[in-house]
Amino acid sequence: MAEEKPAEAAAAPAAAFGADEAAGGDFAPLYQAPKVDVKTHEEDEIVVFKMRAKLFVFVKEDVYGGEKRTDFWKERGTGDVKLLRHREMGKIRLLMRQEKTLKICANHLVAPTVEITENVGSDRSWVFTAADFADEELKTETFAIKFGNSDKAKKFKESVELAKKINGGEADPSLAVAIADDDEDEKKEDTKKEEGEKKEEKKEEKKDEEVDKAAEELSKAKIEGSEDA
């Protein structure tokens, strides 16, 4: 095969990738996707309460891994629970999304008849039942919601009690003032704790793998020893 001349070698990149690419040219995309505004309906509402919490839902019965489970609390997620007042109608709903996926884990109008009770005597956790629409179908769910401390839990209950009166027509919507939780330190601490737990799990998994490997090698050595005998 003839030796490639310098001029031909220099032209090789242009032949392989195209003259414009070799020269570092700019290219316009063949299709420009239009921007789509996704509405959450929160645009029409005012945040009157916002606090970080962990939400659980009571499950009467389900099947997991082929086993039947009854009467237990299942975690729905951790994130900001909000009370949102509609700008025109004045009604208040409760909305909560998982903080990482933004998946809705609670979404319902605060009913004037809803009862907020302590969860097994805890001063930072409440239990309540609501006609919820988080799964895009109306279902009666029993929730347990847990806050970082008793003061935050107290503010939540006070805000819900006011929302009940507003939705029942017993109080003016303007009485609902914004209460927000801007405690970023708590979020960072929880994230740090979760990362630490994952590291510990990986360490345990590695230890188990090492033990299994050592047992396998020992078993193999015994088999080889018996064959030699």
Side-chain angles (χ1 to χ4, degrees), residues 3-33:
E3 184 178 350
E4 191 178 46
K5 294 180 181 180
E8 293 173 342
F17 303 107
D20 289 338
E21 285 192 40
D26 294 329
F27 293 88
L30 295 176
Y31 173 73
Q32 186 70 44

Side-chain angles (χ1 to χ4, degrees), residues 53-56 74-79 96-98 105:
K54 182 175 288 188
L55 188 71
F56 301 84
K74 181 179 180 180
E75 185 175 337
R76 267 282 179 94
T78 299
M96 184 171 175
R97 297 177 184 269
Q98 294 177 4
C105 45

